[in-house]
Amino acid sequence: MLLRAFIPLGVFAAIGLVLWSGIGKNPQLLPSALLGKPAPAFAAKALHAPETEITSASLLGKPYLLNVFGSWCVSCRVEHPLLMEVERRGEITLVGLNWNDTREDATRWLAQFGDPYSQIIFDADGRIAIDFGVTGAPESFVISAEGRVLHKFVGPLTEDDIENKVKPLLAGQAL
Amino acid sequence: MMPELGQIALILALLLAIVQATVPLIGAHWRQPALMAVARPAAYGQFVFVLFAYGILTEAFVAQDFSIAYVAQNSNLALPWHYRFSAVWGAHEGSLLLWVLILSGWTVALAALSSRLPERFMARALAVLGIISIGFLAFTVLTSNPFERHVPPLADGNDLNPLLQDFGLIVHPPMLYMGYVGFAVAFAFAVAALIEGRVDRQWVRWSRPWTNVAWAFLTIGIALGSWWAYYELGWGGWWFWDPVENASFMPWLVGAALIHSQAVTEKRGTFAAWTLLLAICAFSLSLLGTFLVRSGVLTSVHAFASDPTRGIFILVFLVIVTGGALTLYAIRAPKLAAAPPVSLYSRESLLLLNNILLVTACAMVLIGTLYPLVAEALGWGKISVGPPYFGLMFFVLMAPLVWLIPFGPLTRWKGDSLPAVFLSLRTALALAALAAALVWIVERELPLKAVIGVCAGIWVIFGTLAFLLRRMRNAAPGRMLTAEMVGMSLAHIGVGIFVVGVVVTESLNVERDVRMQAGDMVEVAGYQVTLREVVRQDGPNFIADEGVFEIRQDGELMSTQHPQKRRYLRGQVMTEAALDAGFFADFYIAMGEPIGTGGAWAIRLYYKPMIRWVWLGALLMMAGGLVSATERRLRQTIVEREVVQSAPEQMPDALPERA
Amino acid sequence: MSALLRMLLLAIGLGLAAGASAIDPMPFTDRAEEVRFQKLLHELRCLQCQNQTLADSDADIARQLREEVFRLMRDNKSNDEIKDFLIDRYGPFVLYKPRVSSSTWLLWFGPFVILAGASVFLWLQMRRRRRTAAAGAAPTPSDEEDW
């Protein structure tokens, strides 16, 4: 029995394992490159009050959920009622990042659908979104009181996300 | 009513496949002719039922029966009748049924044309094909039923997909599947041989045309996909090293090695283990391709709607079929005779090098394609592997092979003198260098790397011509050029043309994104492109902005192009690029978005020199494969039955028949 | 094929409807800058339409990243620095040509290891067979006109 002749079978077994490990996973899911790292520093104007500046430093001290949205974003409307509810319950601080938008469109959109955000950063040129590694909207980041990125959600938030992921993280527990 | 009949037909086909897979095997083991004789009728019966089911599905598309979910998802009342036939294989379930049909068809052809081969062997081979059929039919019946009804029946199907109504998409999948499935024949033979414990040169000789034809189909299938992507998708690329493209390219590489290995085994009786292993690998890679396309483990622009359940099914099937075959190989292959000694420089060693390089290239593509999975499984994060990797590695591995091609046909078996062979090729090499120098003088922009590449391509062409010339001069009249030699030469010349095309187009292609308004002129690769005007064009269900472009060279008008930006009534926006195709270069103009309000537009211009040579090369390779399959000698019985068995010393030197 | 092609079309359609297009004229100073830009973009992956390069994608984020890359280029950043910038934000996934590191040695060196290993093994086997062949039986080239 020549052991060498089993090499092809061995190689195939390895390939099979690799293939099996990939089943059920979503190959398009891209985890955030910023996990565990400090959120990128930024300084931008607020949406509603163009003279006021919001900096990353000014947001330290309290954990919050940074939500990337835009008036052009269809999926954002899907999660918006949930965000309104979260704001009503008052358990989580929501900070909005208005991306790729104009002041008029965004203000109009919020007036129409409601404004759940305690503050809204107006990302005029999209650089803040790039710094956060945003690939589309809606996306949400859980940021700790010390300013670290704890988690990133891609796509509309669900009730399950809020209850079972965001709240435990903000309470200081690991996921 | 009819769709349900279709479902029943598939179940019946599955039952026959089970019969085909088991009874002949038992018959072969116990030497029961009656049981062995079940194989052929079972294969025929299975084909009848599969054809019936496929016919019903096609009829549903043609008659636009939207009560069937699959028909509703993939067609629409507005679909022209000639595209309804190709819409059948537009998505997972239908294309799988096409796979099954083609597999059944190849099985029937094999059953019908194999009367001269030993009964025991054929019984086993057909049984193996039956096992494969079981897998695919079960997959269809259990997880991917194309006949599922949509309740309540729909009045109209889904929105039309313009990309599907296209010639390229009509021919590309069937040709590809003919190739993929065709390798199952070589696979079945290899497994049957392993079960039997010996490699009979007769069946190797007989299987060569089948493998050549399968490979030829795969070649044209891949080439059609590339050509279609180029003119339809609009980004100027002809090969993206996308996982699904790689999935079709890997069997092609191994198939090429298999063709050469089979030739050696058939002529010399050696390389038997290689032939068996390559035959197993070629079809296994086809199965792997099926897995990658339909399981969703890799992100790809081609993938069908993915489903983990389907992935698991195919993976289990793959493990059974390939794992089983490789286990059989591990146990039985060492018992095959060892090859006789050959010189370091001989045709055998050259073909061995050929095999090694092709298999390594295939391994490289496999590693690169699966690497994201490996990295994620081992916790190395998400890594991308794309064209920069594949292009570089492929070039490094294949360059030596390309340079060696002309040496093969001129080198003798068992041993030859490298200086002597080189001497007989010196004219070809000199001419190639001269031609490359001429090309460089004409096209100064060509970087040195590309000039060498062009030289290599021309060298392959001239080297092959040198072989043909020598053959015509030295051989006895009437036996000068066999179909096999002509086929080989065509394919090798095809490789040369392909290399020239790739090297030139990748080095010299120009892409420019420019802002243009009426009256503007842009220089691209020595041509002057002027936008005359942008006009409104109304189509049946769209409004278009059409740019009128004039392409000039040295002031002389070469052509006028009319790319469009279409806004359909249903809201889609599509770019209809204008393609000026030429034998030596393509010009490509696509309209982007309007810039501002002054009538300026963003325009993309491509100049792609020699890109058609890429597909011309592939076409010649396909032709070569088909021509060599017509070789009469391969249909003749070997007079003295040369059998490779466990006796290591006796290796016949003399061929029983003259080529 | 229909499902994902439809998605692709939708993505293109959405992107175009939003005014984004992969066709993005930039104010290049010369051809060399343009070529460098294109080459770089073809090595970067679009994070939204993940099967396209940054050069070919219509996605919003692709357009913004193209502008960012252009700005960095003008800022005299090298290609490696630009890639680092993107990796810091999006991870190594954004590169189509993985960097050579301990986690990619199988990728970059694996094929050559296979090639070398197979070649050496087969060469040794050939040599062994010649040695064990009957004495004096140096492999003679076939005299017949063999094909």
Side-chain angles (χ1 to χ4, degrees):
Chain A
M1 180 82 64
L2 207 56
L3 274 175
R4 219 171 50 216
F6 280 90
I7 294 180
L9 185 63
V11 169
F12 173 67
I15 294 173
L17 280 171
V18 170
L19 296 177
W20 183 73
S21 77
I23 293 184
K25 296 212 182 104
N26 181 356
Q28 304 225 315
L29 205 61
L30 183 62
S32 171
L34 299 171
L35 282 182
K37 298 207 189 112
F42 60 85
K45 301 287 190 250
L47 178 71
H48 293 308
E51 340 71 47
T52 325
E53 212 186 41
I54 310 178
T55 64
S56 41
S58 70
L59 291 171
L60 287 175
K62 196 164 43 118
Y64 60 96
L65 187 66
L66 181 72
N67 177 258
V68 182
F69 76 99
S71 61
W72 45 268
C73 162
V74 177
S75 312
C76 299
R77 275 183 239 173
V78 172
E79 70 172 1
H80 207 73
L82 176 64
L83 293 179
M84 295 300 295
E85 177 64 24
V86 166
E87 192 258 343
R88 195 191 60 80
R89 290 192 222 147
E91 302 160 317
I92 303 173
T93 313
L94 285 172
V95 175
L97 180 63
N98 183 234
W99 178 49
N100 229 3
D101 221 343
T102 65
R103 281 208 150 83
E104 301 74 39
D105 288 335
T107 320
R108 205 178 330 122
W109 191 82
L110 290 167
Q112 187 181 357
F113 294 105
D115 185 348
Y117 305 108
S118 60
Q119 295 177 81
I120 305 176
I121 307 160
F122 182 63
D123 190 2
D125 53 8
R127 301 268 284 282
I128 301 177
I130 290 179
D131 282 340
F132 268 92
V134 170
T135 63
E139 286 183 7
S140 307
F141 296 82
V142 180
I143 302 189
S144 71
E146 301 83 37
R148 284 188 183 284
V149 175
L150 297 178
H151 194 77
K152 176 184 176 186
F153 296 95
V154 175
L157 286 168
T158 62
E159 183 69 46
D160 178 70
D161 290 329
I162 301 285
E163 290 302 314
N164 299 328
K165 296 204 183 111
V166 178
K167 283 207 186 137
L169 276 174
L170 292 180
Q173 302 151 359
L175 258 184
Chain B
M1 171 54 188
M2 287 304 272
E4 279 69 32
L5 277 183
Q7 259 178 297
I8 294 173
L10 287 178
I11 296 174
L12 289 174
L14 175 58
L15 291 174
L16 277 175
I18 294 174
V19 167
Q20 182 187 329
T22 51
V23 175
L25 267 183
I26 299 171
H29 185 72
W30 295 109
R31 297 179 198 265
Q32 300 280 347
L35 295 180
M36 289 195 278
V38 166
R40 289 191 171 86
Y44 297 143
Q46 196 197 124
F47 178 70
V48 166
F49 285 121
V50 171
L51 185 62
F52 181 67
Y54 189 83
I56 291 182
L57 189 61
T58 303
E59 203 266 339
F61 267 91
V62 172
Q64 308 216 291
D65 177 3
F66 296 120
S67 69
I68 302 178
Y70 182 73
V71 179
Q73 282 156 15
N74 293 288
S75 71
N76 179 282
L77 280 174
L79 189 63
W81 73 268
H82 50 280
Y83 284 122
R84 293 179 208 166
F85 290 94
S86 56
V88 174
W89 56 75
H92 168 68
E93 291 85 347
S95 64
L96 194 59
L97 192 56
L98 181 66
W99 231 100
V100 172
L101 177 67
I102 293 179
L103 177 61
S104 196
W106 277 89
T107 308
V108 159
L110 188 64
L113 298 172
S114 59
S115 50
R116 284 199 272 172
L117 284 179
E119 194 60 25
R120 266 186 103 198
F121 182 77
M122 280 315 299
R124 288 183 165 133
L126 287 170
V128 170
L129 285 172
I131 294 174
I132 299 170
S133 300
I134 292 177
F136 277 95
L137 279 165
F139 186 45
T140 308
V141 167
L142 294 174
T143 74
S144 319
N145 185 4
F147 296 111
E148 288 212 355
R149 295 277 196 177
H150 191 282
V151 178
L154 295 167
D156 194 0
N158 273 347
D159 269 356
L160 275 184
N161 186 345
L163 287 176
L164 278 185
Q165 298 168 68
D166 190 271
F167 175 72
L169 224 63
I170 295 179
V171 282
H172 162 62
M175 293 293 103
L176 209 59
Y177 289 179
M178 284 290 286
Y180 271 153
V181 175
F183 283 136
V185 172
F187 177 85
F189 278 176
V191 173
L194 284 170
I195 296 177
E196 212 164 78
R198 58 183 208 161
V199 175
D200 185 341
R201 270 177 67 202
Q202 181 62 61
W203 71 252
V204 176
R205 164 177 287 197
W206 195 82
S207 75
R208 282 186 62 198
W210 294 83
T211 312
N212 285 3
V213 168
W215 182 84
F217 273 116
L218 192 58
T219 306
I220 195 68
I222 294 173
L224 283 170
S226 160
W227 171 66
W228 172 81
Y230 170 78
Y231 78 75
E232 182 68 28
L233 290 181
W235 303 132
W238 56 274
W239 189 255
F240 304 91
W241 296 102
D242 175 85
V244 170
E245 286 177 336
N246 295 347
S248 68
F249 195 50
M250 287 188 278
W252 187 89
L253 289 167
V254 170
L258 176 61
I259 288 178
H260 290 85
S261 194
Q262 277 184 331
V264 177
T265 306
E266 185 255 327
K267 294 173 198 288
R268 309 294 295 170
T270 56
F271 279 35
W274 269 102
T275 299
L276 293 175
L277 188 58
L278 288 172
I280 295 175
C281 288
F283 184 64
S284 301
L285 286 166
S286 296
L287 290 180
L288 177 65
T290 309
F291 174 82
L292 288 176
V293 176
R294 298 166 200 267
S295 65
V297 296
L298 287 171
T299 169
S300 159
V301 77
H302 281 83
F304 293 105
S306 61
D307 188 341
T309 327
R310 291 174 180 162
I312 294 175
F313 195 107
I314 304 177
L315 187 58
V316 168
F317 181 54
L318 191 59
V319 166
I320 294 173
V321 170
T322 304
L326 287 176
T327 308
L328 207 53
Y329 174 83
I331 299 171
R332 287 292 172 91
K335 298 204 178 77
L336 300 171
V342 293
S343 278
L344 197 57
Y345 183 74
S346 56
R347 197 184 292 178
E348 282 93 340
S349 62
L350 281 177
L351 286 173
L352 207 53
L353 192 56
N354 166 81
N355 279 2
I356 295 174
L357 285 170
L358 283 170
V359 168
T360 306
C362 177
M364 180 275 293
V365 175
L366 185 63
I367 292 174
T369 306
L370 294 184
Y371 211 74
L373 288 177
V374 173
E376 196 159 350
L378 294 176
W380 291 338
K382 281 197 89 89
I383 296 179
S384 293
V385 182
Y389 168 80
F390 290 110
L392 175 62
M393 297 289 272
F394 190 71
F395 166 75
V396 169
L397 290 171
M398 290 286 100
L401 187 60
V402 169
W403 281 100
L404 285 174
I405 290 180
F407 286 89
L410 287 169
T411 305
R412 286 189 291 189
W413 295 109
K414 281 185 93 173
D416 206 337
S417 146
L418 177 54
V421 176
F422 187 74
L423 226 58
S424 57
L425 284 169
R426 68 191 187 286
T427 320
L429 185 59
L431 284 174
L434 190 64
L438 281 172
V439 165
W440 182 59
I441 291 172
V442 167
E443 189 59 72
R444 277 321 185 103
E445 299 262 328
L446 216 53
L448 180 65
K449 216 174 54 162
V451 177
I452 298 176
V454 169
C455 184
I458 300 178
W459 151 245
V460 170
I461 298 172
F462 283 154
T464 307
L465 291 174
F467 161 75
L468 289 170
L469 218 63
R470 179 173 237 234
R471 197 64 213 171
M472 296 199 307
R473 255 192 269 141
N474 295 349
R479 314 207 102 255
M480 280 191 293
L481 287 177
T482 61
E484 209 181 343
M485 293 174 199
V486 172
M488 176 200 77
S489 306
L490 274 175
H492 287 178
I493 291 176
V495 172
I497 291 179
F498 174 82
V499 167
V500 170
V502 172
V503 166
V504 173
T505 205
E506 293 302 303
S507 328
L508 291 183
N509 82 82
V510 175
E511 175 188 325
R512 299 202 58 194
D513 282 354
V514 288
R515 177 188 182 283
M516 290 180 93
Q517 59 191 65
D520 282 349
M521 190 273 285
V522 167
E523 276 263 351
V524 176
Y527 292 86
Q528 296 83 40
V529 182
T530 312
L531 173 59
R532 271 273 154 268
E533 54 178 346
V534 180
V535 295
R536 264 280 296 265
Q537 288 283 354
D538 289 339
N541 55 342
F542 62 84
I543 302 173
D545 289 300
E546 184 176 292
V548 181
F549 289 85
E550 289 172 356
I551 304 177
R552 287 188 162 75
Q553 191 179 32
D554 300 324
E556 186 190 317
L557 181 66
M558 309 291 288
S559 76
T560 313
Q561 298 298 319
H562 303 265
Q564 287 182 348
K565 189 67 163 204
R566 294 183 182 174
R567 285 164 224 283
Y568 285 81
L569 295 174
R570 293 205 199 203
Q572 302 155 295
V573 178
M574 294 226 49
T575 307
E576 285 293 312
L579 185 59
D580 182 6
F583 187 67
F584 287 107
D586 273 15
F587 228 104
Y588 201 112
I589 305 179
M591 299 189 58
E593 290 293 312
I595 298 178
T597 47
W601 283 77
I603 306 287
R604 181 169 282 188
L605 301 155
Y606 283 108
Y607 171 70
K608 313 275 292 182
M610 300 291 257
I611 184 138
R612 307 262 145 189
W613 285 47
V614 169
W615 302 306
L616 178 63
L619 207 61
L620 283 175
M621 288 189 232
M622 176 204 76
L626 292 175
V627 166
S628 62
T630 63
E631 168 71 39
R632 212 163 19 102
R633 187 179 64 86
L634 297 177
R635 292 192 287 278
Q636 292 164 354
T637 320
I638 298 180
V639 173
E640 292 161 45
R641 289 286 222 91
E642 307 297 356
V643 174
V644 180
Q645 272 174 319
S646 306
E649 314 81 36
Q650 282 82 22
M651 258 311 107
D653 282 7
L655 290 166
E657 278 181 48
R658 276 314 189 86
Chain C
M1 209 167 302
S2 166
L4 215 89
L5 269 181
R6 244 187 301 135
M7 226 167 80
L8 183 67
L9 254 186
L10 190 64
I12 295 176
L14 263 181
L16 290 175
S21 162
I23 302 178
D24 244 342
M26 300 277 192
F28 297 110
T29 49
D30 58 16
R31 177 83 190 132
E33 191 184 35
E34 187 174 12
V35 172
R36 177 188 168 202
F37 183 69
Q38 285 170 354
K39 276 209 171 86
L40 190 52
L41 286 186
H42 274 105
E43 286 192 25
L44 299 170
R45 189 175 210 147
C46 170
L47 287 324
Q48 173 83 302
C49 303
Q50 291 182 356
N51 296 301
Q52 292 182 294
T53 65
L54 221 49
D56 297 336
S57 172
D58 295 326
D60 276 335
I61 188 65
R63 181 172 51 84
Q64 295 199 300
L65 285 175
R66 281 195 292 266
E67 285 167 14
E68 190 67 23
V69 169
F70 184 74
R71 190 186 61 83
L72 289 168
M73 240 175 52
R74 276 289 162 86
D75 234 358
N76 280 324
K77 295 277 188 289
S78 72
N79 280 3
D80 276 336
E81 285 169 323
I82 295 175
K83 289 181 186 173
D84 282 334
F85 176 90
L86 290 169
I87 293 177
D88 284 341
R89 287 151 180 76
Y90 293 99
F93 186 69
V94 75
L95 293 184
Y96 264 131
K97 186 177 182 178
R99 292 196 164 149
V100 182
S101 74
S102 58
S103 59
T104 59
W105 58 260
L106 175 63
L107 186 67
W108 285 107
F109 301 117
F112 298 110
V113 168
I114 294 174
L115 183 62
S119 308
V120 165
F121 169 71
L122 286 165
W123 178 70
L124 285 174
Q125 213 179 33
M126 274 174 63
R127 210 171 59 158
R128 184 160 41 93
R129 284 202 198 124
R130 283 207 304 279
R131 290 228 177 101
T132 58
T140 50
S142 307
D143 288 334
E144 71 224 28
E145 171 79 273
D146 61 332
W147 170 250

